[in-house]
Amino acid sequence: MSTTTPELPLARPRDLMRTNRTIQKVVEGAIEYALLACGLVSIVVTVAIAAVIFYGSFEFFATHDGAWMTPRQILDRVVYFFTGTEWTAGFTGAHYGILPLLTATLMVALIAAVIALPIGVMTAIFLSEYATARIRGIAKPTLELLAGIPTVVYGYFALTMITPNLAEIVPGLNTPQNLLGAGIVVGIMIIPMVASLSEDALRAVPRAMRDGAIALGANKFETSVKVVLPAALSGVMASFLLALSRAIGETMAVSLAAGEMARLTLDPRQGAVTMTSFIVRIAKGDVVHGSTDFNSLFAVAGALFFMTLIMNITARRVLSRYRQVYQ
Amino acid sequence: MNTTQPAPKPWSPPNPTLLDRLQVSLLRAAVASLILSLAFVLLVFVVSSVGVFAGSADQFPDIRTLAPIGGLLGVALFLILAPTMLVLSTRPMQDLAFTVTGFLATFFGLAMLVIFFFQLSADVLEWFHQMPRLIERENQRLLAAPTHFEKTELAKAANELEEECARIDADATLTDQAKKDEKTALRDLFEAEIIPEKKKELQTTVIEMQRAVERDIRTDTSPPALLWYFLTHGPSDSPQDAGIWPALLGSLWIGLITVLFAVPVGVGAAIYLEEYRADSWLSRIIQVNINNLAGVPSVVYGILGGFVFVELIFKPLENHQSDIQTQLQANQELALGLFDRLLTWLPSISARNVLGGGLTLGLLTLPVVIVSAQEAIRAVPNSIRQGAIALGATRWQTTWRTVLPMSLPGILTGTILSLSRAIGEAAPLVLFGALLFVNQDPWPFTRFTILPMQIFGWADRPPITLESGESIDVWKGNAAMASVFLLVALMAMNGLAIYFRNRAQSRMRY
């Protein structure tokens, strides 16, 4: 019997791709490079952000409405930027000292922290130690809903609900815009973030510690607050830092609720413009591109970027070191 | 002799008596209230001193008013703290109080949501109540406008006539009879010629006004009609005619472009980080980078997009296109390259367009998409991958045919959550150049506006005052209505994401 190899049909490109190892290798290599390119996009984005901010800040410090300045003047400007107490961008003879904007941002973040951190940590402890499945079933979607409301709507609530009611309680409140209302609203906004991150940290504490505490006769309050919470403290601190950096970077709610004038004040009843709302105001207004006023937004954005970057890096460092302790 | 002593009782810490607890709690409350009230007084001084130093306050607060307030605060704190501490001095009560506090803290969020919901509903009902009134007012103004206009113009003409007659009367050179004749002649001229001419002049304006009446009058003020009008019209200066149609379209376009950019790039990066090179130094750098990018404030992305996409890409494109168009107008027979010919076919590009805005938001949501895709891919059990490799599949075949389909629900969840965040973000697009007042429908190369920014613009406006002196906050009502639409869309998307997440979790049951 003669064995004849059957006639293979003409190979289609797809069959070639499947069976010819050379083509496969080439295509697979190309795909891997394409995926690498996707991964490198994020690095390109970071480099681009740094480059844009650096370029804009350089233009801000080194030129004034197009004219170059001497090194001595540049140094003076840089020093005044970080230490000066007057921010009068938009007026003639403008001063660019960032302290008013910085204090306003920090005031809003502080008020937000005072509201969000205790409530967030208590929520996390309650959900991880005490809550039954039914309560978790209600509480978790509620927190996700709170986190899902857009920030402009929070600003709207600050204007229509929080400030009028605050004005009846607090004497001397500046309506409609004040730092207290903005801080309260930003605080409510970051409660879900603190709660979920703290809950992850609390959940990671080994069960053995809880069991040991209960074996020694502690009740649930003492277990949670005196044993579990200190064990998870670094994770909770990291979540505080992340939430604070979110509060500092918050823009739209603060623009609506906090104020338009740059003033250096520790009084939460007044309105003051924060770094983020200043950036938005300048970009929205009709300031000439390339003028010093416009370039000031690059410097402010640079300060903002570095603050949040440092906070985030610290928080991630603390989190990763914390994870190693228990593994 | 047997000295059997009874077995010693197990030691337990002595229970404090009520008197002990009372003493301790009173002492603690006194100390705490003293410290707190002193701190409060100090804080007020510090705040006002900073205010005086920075020029925003006039003077230090008077110590004579501050001291009694501090004292009162201390006493009030003591009266509140002492019983609380007495109650909380036993361990069971501490446990109970902690449970109650935890419960209240957890449902503080729910309480806030309920309050927000009520506030929003109240504003929406107010809007539905005020809109018909404002529309009626506008309708009456429109209806009365043509006749009102005609009457005022004719009255002006009559005034001129009276002035002429007065001038004739004041002319001392004519006799009384001559004056009377002139006045009659003038009056006849007025009746015969001037009035009809005037009426013909006014005719065109009056016809236009009547056409405007027919076009702009709104007869249907029922809630569904109001809603439909709100949805299908653009912004305007009069609050009752404002709508969100361009903003809705703009948000839809931006969302589409964001997803089309962020999902392929994000999932590709996640596949690279998880499947291909999980432990090289480059992957570690990329991973750290992504984690840091996730925490960058959104305004910074706006600045980035504003610079890179607008200055570097779209502005030169726009200038190039207008250059070509002027050249073409001058010389019809100009020979163009392929790219230039393509540019002439496109509608006129504007630098701050929808495409750039979508790409900016895509960059913003990229880290979130990457992280959630990574988690979804990580959740796929290793046995699946090993089975595919055992059957001879290459790396890409494993990923594309086994891992990705299994992780698809998780990836979809992350995509939808990041999309809902992108639609709610206004800050980067404000910096990118989204306008507040756009009346054309947005297309990829035109200027645009988005729904959150419309809310922002409307919430800022002051209330309007009617003729009766009543001031109604109707712009806030418009902002409330737009917020309702935005929230409904976001809730729908989040619900979809939760559905997909449940499907992903149920698929992973092994």
Side-chain angles (χ1 to χ4, degrees):
Chain A
M1 197 155 49
S2 61
T3 49
T4 46
T5 50
E7 279 283 330
L8 283 173
L10 215 54
R12 295 173 293 177
R14 213 174 59 187
D15 291 340
L16 265 180
M17 170 62 187
R18 277 194 202 148
T19 56
N20 188 330
R21 281 288 168 181
T22 321
I23 295 186
Q24 254 183 8
K25 279 210 187 107
V26 166
V27 173
E28 291 265 329
I31 289 182
E32 185 170 339
Y33 276 118
L35 293 178
L36 173 62
C38 290
L40 288 179
V41 166
S42 63
I43 296 189
V44 167
V45 167
T46 313
V47 168
I49 289 180
V52 167
I53 287 186
F54 184 72
Y55 175 69
S57 315
F58 179 71
E59 223 181 286
F60 169 67
F61 284 123
T63 69
H64 184 79
D65 285 331
W68 279 87
M69 305 181 74
T70 67
R72 176 79 216 188
Q73 281 175 318
I74 296 178
L75 191 65
D76 284 340
R77 282 183 83 137
V78 173
V79 168
Y80 190 75
F81 181 74
F82 286 107
T83 60
T85 57
E86 255 190 71
W87 184 274
T88 46
F91 299 95
T92 51
H95 294 273
Y96 298 100
I98 203 179
L99 283 187
L101 302 182
L102 191 62
T103 34
T105 308
L106 290 179
M107 285 282 294
V108 169
L110 187 71
I111 298 174
V114 160
I115 291 183
L117 300 186
I119 296 183
V121 171
M122 287 296 296
T123 307
I125 296 179
F126 186 77
L127 283 180
S128 71
E129 307 283 323
Y130 286 79
T132 62
R134 229 182 41 178
I135 295 185
R136 285 177 68 97
I138 304 180
K140 280 245 161 199
T142 311
L143 285 177
E144 283 185 16
L145 253 154
L146 258 187
I149 298 182
T151 60
V152 268
V153 180
Y154 272 113
Y156 162 78
F157 283 138
L159 277 182
T160 57
M161 193 182 79
I162 300 208
T163 306
N165 289 329
L166 269 185
E168 296 174 15
I169 305 179
V170 177
L173 194 71
N174 174 45
T175 53
Q177 292 177 321
N178 50 71
L179 292 175
L180 190 58
I184 291 179
V185 146
V186 174
I188 298 177
M189 199 187 311
I190 62 179
I191 286 179
M193 202 170 155
V194 177
S196 71
L197 288 172
S198 301
E199 201 187 334
D200 289 343
L202 288 169
R203 194 87 58 77
V205 172
R207 237 192 114 179
M209 298 188 90
R210 290 194 187 86
D211 291 344
I214 294 180
L216 287 174
N219 54 24
K220 257 203 171 148
F221 160 64
E222 286 159 351
T223 323
S224 314
V225 170
K226 297 181 184 169
V227 174
V228 177
L229 191 56
L233 200 61
S234 45
V236 170
M237 285 289 144
S239 75
F240 282 1
L241 274 178
L242 285 173
L244 256 182
S245 87
R246 167 90 200 269
I248 287 180
E250 180 47 53
T251 316
M252 295 316 274
V254 169
S255 300
L256 274 177
E260 303 254 312
M261 287 249 350
R263 61 166 72 103
L264 176 62
T265 173
L266 286 184
D267 188 359
R269 302 173 306 172
Q270 303 208 350
V273 74
T274 63
M275 298 203 294
T276 46
S277 52
F278 170 73
I279 295 176
V280 165
R281 205 162 57 86
I282 284 281
K284 218 170 37 120
D286 28 78
V287 184
V288 176
H289 269 59
S291 67
T292 315
D293 286 339
F294 186 77
N295 287 335
S296 63
L297 81 79
F298 287 104
V300 173
L304 189 68
F305 178 62
F306 275 117
M307 266 170 60
T308 49
L309 193 69
I310 291 178
M311 289 174 90
N312 281 334
I313 290 182
T314 317
R316 303 265 169 203
R317 268 260 178 83
V318 166
L319 263 180
S320 66
R321 205 182 313 150
Y322 163 78
R323 259 193 224 120
Q324 286 171 2
V325 169
Y326 285 116
Q327 276 169 5
Chain B
M1 202 148 60
N2 261 2
T3 44
T4 45
Q5 289 174 329
K9 269 193 347 201
W11 180 87
S12 61
N15 269 338
T17 63
L18 182 61
L19 210 59
D20 287 335
R21 288 191 285 140
L22 190 65
Q23 280 179 336
V24 167
S25 58
L26 280 179
L27 188 66
R28 282 192 187 150
V31 168
S33 51
L34 191 70
I35 292 180
L36 281 177
S37 51
L38 276 178
F40 175 74
V41 169
L42 200 67
L43 194 67
V44 170
F45 259 117
V46 164
V47 166
S48 58
S49 65
V50 167
V52 166
F53 166 67
S56 57
D58 297 324
Q59 52 185 324
F60 289 100
D62 199 357
I63 186 90
R64 284 171 299 198
T65 51
L66 209 53
I69 291 181
L72 214 63
L73 184 67
V75 171
L77 276 177
F78 180 74
L79 288 178
I80 295 176
L81 283 179
T84 323
M85 287 196 165
L86 182 62
V87 159
L88 285 183
S89 50
T90 60
R91 286 174 61 223
M93 288 306 291
Q94 286 169 357
D95 196 19
L96 183 65
F98 191 71
T99 315
V100 168
T101 320
F103 185 81
L104 287 177
T106 310
F107 287 95
F108 176 77
L110 185 64
M112 281 295 123
L113 265 183
V114 166
I115 293 178
F116 287 167
F117 172 72
F118 273 118
Q119 172 70 29
L120 209 56
S121 325
D123 282 338
V124 165
L125 284 176
E126 178 81 10
W127 187 83
F128 276 116
H129 177 68
Q130 297 289 1
M131 276 291 139
R133 285 180 53 193
L134 288 176
I135 293 177
E136 267 311 306
R137 175 170 158 257
E138 178 73 10
N139 283 353
Q140 280 170 3
R141 196 189 66 83
L142 276 177
L143 279 174
T147 38
H148 184 71
F149 179 68
E150 204 171 343
K151 255 202 300 201
T152 34
E153 291 298 307
L154 291 179
K156 264 199 274 188
N159 259 357
E160 279 174 25
L161 175 67
E162 292 304 315
E163 277 173 22
E164 273 296 313
C165 291
R167 202 184 53 79
I168 293 175
D169 275 335
D171 197 346
T173 56
L174 300 169
T175 62
D176 278 342
Q177 184 58 34
K179 282 185 192 171
K180 252 183 140 172
D181 289 338
E182 262 206 59
K183 277 201 281 191
T184 349
L186 198 58
R187 284 222 167 84
D188 291 338
L189 183 67
F190 193 69
E191 297 293 324
E193 286 194 17
I194 299 198
I195 295 280
E197 226 179 272
K198 201 84 195 205
K199 281 205 177 150
K200 245 193 297 190
E201 262 179 45
L202 300 177
Q203 201 60 5
T204 38
T205 334
V206 169
I207 287 184
E208 240 193 70
M209 285 189 144
Q210 282 169 340
R211 212 174 288 149
V213 167
E214 285 168 29
R215 191 187 58 213
D216 291 336
I217 199 167
R218 290 170 62 179
T219 45
D220 196 355
T221 56
S222 64
L226 286 177
L227 216 57
W228 183 248
Y229 192 90
F230 188 71
L231 261 182
T232 50
H233 283 77
S236 101
D237 274 325
S238 37
Q240 65 270 9
D241 295 331
I244 54 173
W245 177 241
L248 266 185
L249 269 190
S251 278
L252 277 174
W253 268 111
I254 294 275
L256 188 69
I257 297 178
T258 303
V259 167
L260 283 180
F261 171 72
V263 171
V265 174
V267 173
I271 292 176
Y272 184 80
L273 288 174
E274 289 293 316
E275 299 280 315
Y276 277 72
R277 289 273 182 280
D279 50 359
S280 73
W281 58 272
L282 189 58
S283 312
R284 246 204 313 271
I285 292 183
I286 297 181
Q287 187 73 54
V288 165
N289 209 5
I290 290 173
N291 287 338
N292 287 336
L293 275 182
V296 168
S298 44
V299 276
V300 177
Y301 282 104
I303 294 181
L304 173 72
F307 195 79
V308 167
F309 294 126
V310 171
E311 300 285 328
L312 294 185
I313 298 184
F314 283 117
K315 260 216 184 115
L317 219 59
E318 184 185 7
N319 293 338
H320 193 59
Q321 191 193 36
S322 53
D323 281 344
I324 295 177
Q325 275 168 351
T326 39
Q327 283 177 10
L328 219 56
Q329 273 176 356
N331 175 8
Q332 294 281 13
E333 301 292 320
L334 199 59
L336 297 169
L338 185 61
F339 180 66
D340 293 344
R341 191 160 291 281
L342 207 65
L343 271 187
T344 52
W345 287 339
L346 290 172
S348 101
I349 299 177
S350 76
R352 299 175 186 279
N353 52 32
V354 169
L355 204 56
L359 287 176
T360 310
L361 270 190
L363 288 181
L364 175 71
T365 59
L366 196 61
V368 177
V369 171
I370 293 181
V371 167
S372 57
Q374 269 186 297
E375 286 184 9
I377 291 176
R378 220 176 285 160
V380 173
N382 240 354
S383 50
I384 306 276
R385 294 190 188 89
Q386 289 165 351
I389 294 177
L391 288 173
T394 62
R395 209 174 239 179
W396 176 246
Q397 284 172 338
T398 324
T399 312
W400 182 249
R401 287 173 182 273
T402 58
V403 174
L404 264 190
M406 275 202 80
S407 55
L408 208 56
I411 293 181
L412 269 174
T413 312
T415 308
I416 296 177
L417 284 175
S418 66
L419 178 64
S420 68
R421 186 184 157 198
I423 289 195
E425 280 282 355
L429 291 180
V430 169
L431 262 121
F432 182 78
L435 294 173
L436 215 44
F437 205 99
V438 163
N439 246 321
Q440 65 194 61
D441 285 351
W443 289 101
F445 287 111
T446 65
R447 303 210 62 159
F448 62 101
T449 183
I450 46 170
L451 201 49
M453 203 167 147
Q454 198 73 276
I455 300 175
F456 178 68
W458 281 343
D460 240 350
R461 294 214 194 179
I464 63 172
T465 349
L466 297 179
E467 293 84 23
S468 52
E470 180 191 350
S471 105
I472 32 182
D473 217 346
V474 65
W475 286 115
K476 292 237 171 58
N478 279 334
M481 288 296 296
S483 305
V484 165
F485 278 106
L486 186 59
L487 285 173
V488 163
L490 288 177
M491 293 312 149
M493 279 199 286
N494 279 347
L496 206 62
I498 293 179
Y499 165 71
F500 276 119
R501 178 165 53 195
N502 290 341
R503 257 186 68 170
Q505 282 174 351
S506 66
R507 260 200 199 177
M508 292 297 170
R509 299 277 155 76
Y510 269 87

